[in-house]
Amino acid sequence: MTHLLELKGISKAFGGLQVIYDLDLHVDEGEIVSVIGPNGAGKTTLFNLITGVYRPDAGEIRLDGRSLLGLPPHDITGLGVARTFQTLRLFLNMTVKENVMASQYGRTRAGVLRSILRTPGMRREEREIAATAEEKLSFFGQRLMGYRWDQPAYSLSYANRRRLEIARATATGARILLLDEPAAGMNPAETQEITGLIGKLREEGGYTILVIEHDMHVVEGISDRVVALDHGVKIAEGAFGSVATDPRVVEAYLGTRKAATK
Protein backbone atom coordinates (compact mmCIF):
# COMPACT_ATOMS: atom_id res chain seq x y z
CA MET A 1 0.00 0.00 0.00
CA THR A 2 1.04 3.59 -0.61
CA HIS A 3 0.09 6.63 1.42
CA LEU A 4 -2.57 8.37 -0.65
CA LEU A 5 -2.97 11.13 1.95
CA GLU A 6 -0.19 12.05 4.36
CA LEU A 7 0.05 14.71 7.06
CA LYS A 8 3.37 15.39 8.77
CA GLY A 9 3.80 17.60 11.83
CA ILE A 10 0.61 19.56 11.25
CA SER A 11 -0.17 22.32 13.75
CA LYS A 12 -2.89 24.96 13.78
CA ALA A 13 -3.76 27.61 16.36
CA PHE A 14 -6.42 30.30 16.44
CA GLY A 15 -4.97 33.10 18.53
CA GLY A 16 -3.88 31.48 21.77
CA LEU A 17 -5.96 28.34 21.23
CA GLN A 18 -3.94 25.41 19.89
CA VAL A 19 -6.43 23.28 17.94
CA ILE A 20 -4.07 20.82 16.19
CA TYR A 21 -0.55 20.12 17.44
CA ASP A 22 2.25 18.24 15.66
CA LEU A 23 -0.13 15.73 14.07
CA ASP A 24 1.08 12.89 11.89
CA LEU A 25 -1.61 10.97 10.02
CA HIS A 26 -1.81 8.92 6.85
CA VAL A 27 -4.46 7.13 4.84
CA ASP A 28 -3.41 4.37 2.47
CA GLU A 29 -4.93 3.70 -0.92
CA GLY A 30 -8.20 1.79 -0.47
CA GLU A 31 -8.25 2.20 3.32
CA ILE A 32 -11.00 3.40 5.65
CA VAL A 33 -9.62 5.39 8.58
CA SER A 34 -11.86 6.79 11.31
CA VAL A 35 -10.98 9.84 13.40
CA ILE A 36 -12.60 9.90 16.83
CA GLY A 37 -12.42 12.18 19.84
CA PRO A 38 -14.63 14.26 22.13
CA ASN A 39 -16.14 17.56 21.03
CA GLY A 40 -13.40 20.15 20.62
CA ALA A 41 -10.74 17.57 19.77
CA GLY A 42 -9.93 19.27 16.45
CA LYS A 43 -11.57 16.78 14.09
CA THR A 44 -13.41 19.18 11.80
CA THR A 45 -10.44 21.56 11.84
CA LEU A 46 -8.41 18.62 10.52
CA PHE A 47 -10.77 18.33 7.54
CA ASN A 48 -10.62 22.09 6.97
CA LEU A 49 -6.82 21.91 6.85
CA ILE A 50 -6.80 19.05 4.36
CA THR A 51 -9.31 20.74 2.06
CA GLY A 52 -7.60 24.14 2.09
CA VAL A 53 -10.18 26.06 4.12
CA TYR A 54 -7.41 26.73 6.65
CA ARG A 55 -3.67 26.78 6.12
CA PRO A 56 -1.59 25.02 8.81
CA ASP A 57 0.89 26.99 10.91
CA ALA A 58 3.42 24.20 10.49
CA GLY A 59 3.75 20.84 8.78
CA GLU A 60 3.04 19.30 5.40
CA ILE A 61 -0.03 17.81 3.72
CA ARG A 62 0.49 15.63 0.65
CA LEU A 63 -1.87 13.82 -1.69
CA ASP A 64 -0.16 11.00 -3.56
CA GLY A 65 3.16 12.74 -2.92
CA ARG A 66 2.02 16.20 -4.06
CA SER A 67 1.87 19.07 -1.57
CA LEU A 68 -1.56 20.59 -0.99
CA LEU A 69 -0.27 23.57 0.97
CA GLY A 70 -1.31 26.91 -0.43
CA LEU A 71 -3.79 25.45 -2.92
CA PRO A 72 -7.34 26.86 -2.88
CA PRO A 73 -10.15 24.42 -2.00
CA HIS A 74 -11.39 24.08 -5.58
CA ASP A 75 -7.93 23.01 -6.78
CA ILE A 76 -7.68 20.45 -3.98
CA THR A 77 -11.08 19.09 -5.01
CA GLY A 78 -9.83 18.91 -8.59
CA LEU A 79 -6.94 16.72 -7.44
CA GLY A 80 -9.37 14.18 -5.97
CA VAL A 81 -10.25 15.26 -2.41
CA ALA A 82 -13.98 15.65 -1.70
CA ARG A 83 -15.80 16.10 1.57
CA THR A 84 -19.18 16.20 3.26
CA PHE A 85 -20.05 18.40 6.22
CA GLN A 86 -21.18 17.89 9.77
CA THR A 87 -24.03 20.32 9.05
CA LEU A 88 -25.62 19.48 5.71
CA ARG A 89 -24.85 21.93 2.91
CA LEU A 90 -27.17 21.15 0.05
CA PHE A 91 -28.90 23.42 -2.44
CA LEU A 92 -32.32 22.76 -1.00
CA ASN A 93 -34.36 24.47 -3.73
CA MET A 94 -32.54 22.64 -6.51
CA THR A 95 -33.53 19.14 -7.54
CA VAL A 96 -31.70 16.05 -6.36
CA LYS A 97 -30.11 15.60 -9.77
CA GLU A 98 -29.16 19.28 -10.06
CA ASN A 99 -27.37 19.10 -6.70
CA VAL A 100 -25.09 16.40 -8.06
CA MET A 101 -24.65 18.12 -11.41
CA ALA A 102 -23.58 21.33 -9.65
CA SER A 103 -20.45 19.66 -8.29
CA GLN A 104 -19.10 19.10 -11.82
CA TYR A 105 -19.36 22.55 -13.37
CA GLY A 106 -15.95 23.57 -12.07
CA ARG A 107 -14.41 21.08 -14.52
CA THR A 108 -16.31 22.12 -17.63
CA ARG A 109 -14.75 24.00 -20.55
CA ALA A 110 -17.74 25.96 -21.84
CA GLY A 111 -17.60 29.63 -20.85
CA VAL A 112 -20.36 32.20 -20.50
CA LEU A 113 -20.63 32.93 -24.24
CA ARG A 114 -20.85 29.26 -25.23
CA SER A 115 -23.45 28.71 -22.52
CA ILE A 116 -25.55 31.62 -23.78
CA LEU A 117 -25.31 30.45 -27.40
CA ARG A 118 -25.93 26.82 -26.42
CA THR A 119 -23.18 25.57 -28.74
CA PRO A 120 -22.96 21.85 -29.62
CA GLY A 121 -19.91 21.48 -27.36
CA MET A 122 -21.74 23.04 -24.43
CA ARG A 123 -24.78 20.79 -24.95
CA ARG A 124 -22.52 17.75 -25.11
CA GLU A 125 -20.92 18.70 -21.80
CA GLU A 126 -24.37 19.17 -20.28
CA ARG A 127 -25.36 15.66 -21.35
CA GLU A 128 -22.14 14.24 -19.91
CA ILE A 129 -22.73 16.02 -16.60
CA ALA A 130 -26.30 14.74 -16.42
CA ALA A 131 -25.17 11.17 -17.19
CA THR A 132 -22.51 11.32 -14.47
CA ALA A 133 -25.07 12.61 -11.97
CA GLU A 134 -27.45 9.76 -12.81
CA GLU A 135 -24.63 7.23 -12.47
CA LYS A 136 -23.59 8.52 -9.04
CA LEU A 137 -27.17 8.66 -7.79
CA SER A 138 -27.81 5.12 -9.06
CA PHE A 139 -25.08 3.88 -6.72
CA PHE A 140 -27.45 4.60 -3.82
CA GLY A 141 -30.21 2.37 -5.16
CA GLN A 142 -33.88 3.21 -4.65
CA ARG A 143 -33.08 5.81 -2.00
CA LEU A 144 -32.10 8.36 -4.65
CA MET A 145 -33.49 6.86 -7.86
CA GLY A 146 -36.29 7.44 -10.34
CA TYR A 147 -38.81 10.14 -9.52
CA ARG A 148 -36.57 11.49 -6.76
CA TRP A 149 -34.17 12.96 -9.34
CA ASP A 150 -36.65 15.73 -10.14
CA GLN A 151 -37.71 16.40 -6.56
CA PRO A 152 -36.28 19.41 -4.68
CA ALA A 153 -33.65 18.42 -2.14
CA TYR A 154 -35.74 19.84 0.71
CA SER A 155 -38.35 17.12 0.12
CA LEU A 156 -35.90 14.35 1.04
CA SER A 157 -35.72 12.73 4.45
CA TYR A 158 -32.75 13.65 6.62
CA ALA A 159 -31.02 10.32 5.91
CA ASN A 160 -31.49 10.73 2.15
CA ARG A 161 -30.08 14.25 2.34
CA ARG A 162 -26.97 12.71 3.87
CA ARG A 163 -26.81 10.26 0.99
CA LEU A 164 -27.28 13.06 -1.53
CA GLU A 165 -24.37 15.00 -0.06
CA ILE A 166 -22.16 11.91 -0.40
CA ALA A 167 -23.37 11.41 -3.98
CA ARG A 168 -22.44 15.00 -4.77
CA ALA A 169 -18.96 14.45 -3.33
CA THR A 170 -18.40 11.35 -5.46
CA ALA A 171 -19.39 13.24 -8.61
CA THR A 172 -16.36 15.55 -8.29
CA GLY A 173 -14.09 12.73 -9.47
CA ALA A 174 -12.88 12.08 -5.94
CA ARG A 175 -10.15 9.60 -5.04
CA ILE A 176 -10.54 10.12 -1.30
CA LEU A 177 -13.76 11.00 0.52
CA LEU A 178 -13.71 12.95 3.78
CA LEU A 179 -16.98 12.17 5.56
CA ASP A 180 -17.77 14.40 8.55
CA GLU A 181 -20.12 12.51 10.91
CA PRO A 182 -22.17 10.78 8.19
CA ALA A 183 -24.36 8.98 10.75
CA ALA A 184 -25.14 12.07 12.85
CA GLY A 185 -28.83 12.43 13.66
CA MET A 186 -29.83 9.03 12.30
CA ASN A 187 -31.92 6.36 14.01
CA PRO A 188 -30.45 2.85 14.54
CA ALA A 189 -31.82 1.44 11.27
CA GLU A 190 -30.50 4.40 9.27
CA THR A 191 -27.15 4.15 11.06
CA GLN A 192 -26.87 0.49 10.07
CA GLU A 193 -27.60 1.43 6.44
CA ILE A 194 -24.99 4.20 6.37
CA THR A 195 -22.43 1.80 7.83
CA GLY A 196 -23.07 -0.59 4.96
CA LEU A 197 -22.97 2.28 2.48
CA ILE A 198 -19.51 3.38 3.62
CA GLY A 199 -18.22 -0.15 3.13
CA LYS A 200 -19.85 -0.27 -0.31
CA LEU A 201 -18.20 3.03 -1.28
CA ARG A 202 -14.84 1.38 -0.68
CA GLU A 203 -15.54 -2.09 -2.02
CA GLU A 204 -17.63 -1.21 -5.10
CA GLY A 205 -16.91 2.47 -5.61
CA GLY A 206 -13.16 2.15 -5.13
CA TYR A 207 -12.89 5.15 -2.81
CA THR A 208 -10.39 5.70 -0.04
CA ILE A 209 -12.21 7.12 2.99
CA LEU A 210 -11.30 9.27 5.99
CA VAL A 211 -14.28 9.61 8.31
CA ILE A 212 -15.09 11.53 11.48
CA GLU A 213 -17.65 9.69 13.55
CA HIS A 214 -18.95 9.64 17.14
CA ASP A 215 -21.04 6.46 16.86
CA MET A 216 -18.69 3.68 17.97
CA HIS A 217 -20.85 1.00 16.32
CA VAL A 218 -20.22 2.70 12.97
CA VAL A 219 -16.51 3.13 13.71
CA GLU A 220 -16.16 -0.53 14.67
CA GLY A 221 -18.06 -1.69 11.59
CA ILE A 222 -16.11 0.23 8.95
CA SER A 223 -12.58 0.98 10.16
CA ASP A 224 -9.30 -0.51 9.08
CA ARG A 225 -7.62 1.88 11.52
CA VAL A 226 -8.82 4.35 14.15
CA VAL A 227 -7.06 7.58 15.13
CA ALA A 228 -8.09 9.20 18.42
CA LEU A 229 -7.57 12.92 19.02
CA ASP A 230 -7.84 14.95 22.19
CA HIS A 231 -7.32 18.73 22.14
CA GLY A 232 -5.65 18.38 18.75
CA VAL A 233 -3.11 15.76 19.85
CA LYS A 234 -3.12 12.16 18.63
CA ILE A 235 -3.45 9.99 21.74
CA ALA A 236 -3.98 6.58 20.13
CA GLU A 237 -3.92 4.85 16.76
CA GLY A 238 -4.55 1.29 15.64
CA ALA A 239 -7.30 -1.30 15.40
CA PHE A 240 -10.68 -0.39 16.89
CA GLY A 241 -10.38 -2.76 19.84
CA SER A 242 -7.05 -1.44 21.03
CA VAL A 243 -8.00 2.23 20.59
CA ALA A 244 -11.42 1.91 22.23
CA THR A 245 -9.89 0.37 25.36
CA ASP A 246 -6.86 2.65 25.53
CA PRO A 247 -6.88 4.41 28.94
CA ARG A 248 -6.11 7.77 27.34
CA VAL A 249 -9.12 7.45 25.02
CA VAL A 250 -11.40 6.38 27.87
CA GLU A 251 -10.18 9.33 29.93
CA ALA A 252 -10.73 11.76 27.03
CA TYR A 253 -14.35 10.65 26.70
CA LEU A 254 -15.31 9.91 30.29
CA GLY A 255 -12.89 11.85 32.49
CA THR A 256 -10.14 10.75 34.87
CA ARG A 257 -12.40 9.35 37.60
CA LYS A 258 -14.41 7.21 35.19
CA ALA A 259 -11.26 5.98 33.46
CA ALA A 260 -9.80 4.88 36.78
CA THR A 261 -12.76 2.56 37.37
CA LYS A 262 -12.39 0.80 34.02
Side-chain angles (χ1 to χ4, degrees):
M1 285 189 180
T2 58
H3 295 340
L4 178 59
L5 178 69
E6 186 172 21
L7 286 70
K8 283 285 190 181
I10 291 295
S11 295
K12 181 64 181 178
F14 298 100
L17 179 63
Q18 191 73 45
V19 182
I20 300 285
Y21 180 70
D22 197 26
L23 176 64
D24 292 343
L25 184 150
H26 71 272
V27 185
D28 294 333
E29 188 90 44
E31 194 176 25
I32 300 178
V33 176
S34 293
V35 179
I36 67 171
N39 291 331
K43 303 183 298 297
T44 296
T45 298
L46 170 65
F47 275 20
N48 287 335
L49 289 168
I50 295 169
T51 55
V53 177
Y54 302 145
R55 181 162 185 163
D57 300 326
E60 182 64 68
I61 302 174
R62 294 184 176 277
L63 179 71
D64 208 10
R66 174 174 177 172
S67 176
L68 300 182
L69 293 187
L71 296 179
H74 64 271
D75 283 346
I76 293 174
T77 300
L79 292 174
V81 180
R83 70 175 294 183
T84 63
F85 296 86
Q86 183 178 355
T87 303
L88 284 167
R89 299 187 184 179
L90 297 172
F91 303 110
L92 294 178
N93 289 318
M94 291 169 59
T95 68
V96 168
K97 185 176 174 180
E98 287 170 344
N99 264 272
V100 181
M101 291 174 67
S103 69
Q104 301 173 68
Y105 283 109
R107 298 185 291 137
T108 58
R109 296 175 297 278
V112 175
L113 182 60
R114 291 173 64 187
S115 297
I116 293 173
L117 296 176
R118 302 287 296 174
T119 63
M122 182 273 169
R123 294 197 301 271
R124 182 173 60 253
E125 281 192 335
E126 193 79 12
R127 290 193 297 271
E128 292 170 354
I129 288 171
T132 298
E134 292 173 4
E135 175 193 344
K136 299 304 180 184
L137 287 166
S138 298
F139 184 86
F140 295 80
Q142 294 303 313
R143 296 294 189 182
L144 295 178
M145 279 289 288
Y147 70 94
R148 295 191 189 276
W149 289 354
D150 297 319
Q151 287 186 321
Y154 68 73
S155 69
L156 296 178
S157 68
Y158 177 80
N160 281 339
R161 292 185 191 186
R162 285 280 179 192
R163 294 182 179 93
L164 176 56
E165 193 176 40
I166 296 172
R168 186 176 63 185
T170 64
T172 63
R175 299 179 61 192
I176 180 168
L177 296 174
L178 278 54
L179 307 180
D180 195 344
E181 297 193 32
M186 294 189 181
N187 62 40
E190 292 167 340
T191 298
Q192 186 174 4
E193 282 193 32
I194 206 72
T195 302
L197 172 62
I198 294 171
K200 182 181 176 184
L201 284 166
R202 191 257 298 271
E203 300 302 328
E204 298 182 22
Y207 298 103
T208 300
I209 300 172
L210 180 63
V211 58
I212 294 170
E213 187 51 66
H214 281 294
D215 190 315
M216 291 300 110
H217 293 293
V218 176
V219 174
E220 183 178 17
I222 64 173
S223 306
D224 297 310
R225 276 187 301 118
V226 178
V227 175
L229 301 182
D230 186 29
H231 293 94
V233 177
K234 182 166 65 176
I235 57 174
E237 180 176 5
F240 173 82
S242 62
V243 172
T245 56
D246 189 297
R248 294 168 296 179
V249 176
V250 176
E251 179 180 339
Y253 274 99
L254 301 178
T256 306
R257 183 177 297 178
K258 288 286 187 180
T261 63
K262 289 290 181 180

